[in-house]
């Protein structure tokens, strides 16, 4: 998708907050976004991906720092929506259970413990703390939030990220620290 030179003033006006320019910009970019979605989304998700991408463009366009990056940004938005909707539709689990089973079979109990300790040690301290409080000390999300001074959503986010990093470390190779 490439925005024609004649539409650059329209993009600038929409970026500046002109609602009519934004509406016209969305109308101009919709066919390109739809074309991309038709090639990369499940057929049942095309309309939803286009609608969601255009909604994000309308909400976040003022935050775009470099107007020349608009086309790539818009395509990345619809790409992200296609992936998100595809995962939901297919109930996609990014962690292959067969890979997990093979990994478990390849390690004895002592080896599993060493690998788990290494995975935990590879985590940044703020992720490790939340994961240990939840999975070892078996505290609730509320108790972890109280103990750490974090909000409940922040605890959930850190726990999710910690588990993903640990799993990536264990199944996908090294190192997972972020």
């Amino acid at each position: 998708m490439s925005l024609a030179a004649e539409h650059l003033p329209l993009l600038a006006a929409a970026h500046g907050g002109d609602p009519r320019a934004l509406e016209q910009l969305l109308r101009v970019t919709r066919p390109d976004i739809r074309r991309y979605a038709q090639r990369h989304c499940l057929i049942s998700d095309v309309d939803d991906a286009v609608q969601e991408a255009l909604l994000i463009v309308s909400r976040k366009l003022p935050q775009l720092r470099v107007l020349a990056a608009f086309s790539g940004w818009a395509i990345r938005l619809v790409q992200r929506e296609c992936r998100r909707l595809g995962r939901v539709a297919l109930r996609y689990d990014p962690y292959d259970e067969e890979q997990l089973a093979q990994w478990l079979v390849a390690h004895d109990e002592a080896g599993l413990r060493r690998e788990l300790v290494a995975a935990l040690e590879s985590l940044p301290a703020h992720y490790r703390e939340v994961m240990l409080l939840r999975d070892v000390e078996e505290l609730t999300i509320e108790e972890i939030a109280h103990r750490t001074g974090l909000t409940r959503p922040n605890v959930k986010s850190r726990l999710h990220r910690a588990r993903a990093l640990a799993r990536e470390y264990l199944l996908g190779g090294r190192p997972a620290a972020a």
Side-chain angles (χ1 to χ4, degrees), residues 14-132:
H15 185 263
D18 182 344
R20 277 188 263 164
L22 177 61
E23 182 180 334
Q24 193 174 355
L25 178 67
L26 295 177
R27 204 173 316 112
V28 166
T29 57
R30 183 181 184 88
D32 289 331
I33 289 175
R34 183 169 185 75
R35 194 169 20 264
Y36 183 90
Q38 286 173 326
R39 290 187 190 135
H40 296 90
C41 288
L42 295 173
I43 192 71
S44 60
D45 293 338
V46 170
D47 291 331
D48 290 338
V50 170
Q51 182 177 4
E52 190 62 30
L54 291 173
L55 181 63
I56 293 169
V57 166
S58 69
R59 280 193 341 241
K60 299 204 174 191
L61 181 61
Q63 298 169 15
L64 186 63
R65 285 181 257 153
V66 179
L67 292 183
F70 174 78
S71 296
W73 175 65
I75 291 299
R76 280 190 304 281
L77 291 174
V78 74
Q79 182 182 51
R80 196 174 304 130
E81 282 307 307
C82 286
R83 286 184 187 146
R84 184 185 66 79
L85 291 167
R87 282 192 305 269
V88 169
L90 300 173
R91 290 177 181 78
Y92 172 70
D93 179 5
Y95 304 108
D96 184 349
E97 293 302 318
E98 186 176 322
Q99 181 185 12
L100 176 61
Q102 290 172 355
W103 182 82
L104 288 170
V105 168
H107 293 82
D108 62 356
E109 190 173 326
L112 289 173
R113 288 176 198 252
R114 282 191 302 274
E115 289 287 322
L116 183 56
V117 167
L120 289 171
E121 288 175 349
S122 77
L123 295 174
H126 60 284
Y127 289 144
R128 183 174 47 247
E129 175 188 27
V130 170
M131 189 169 175
L132 290 173

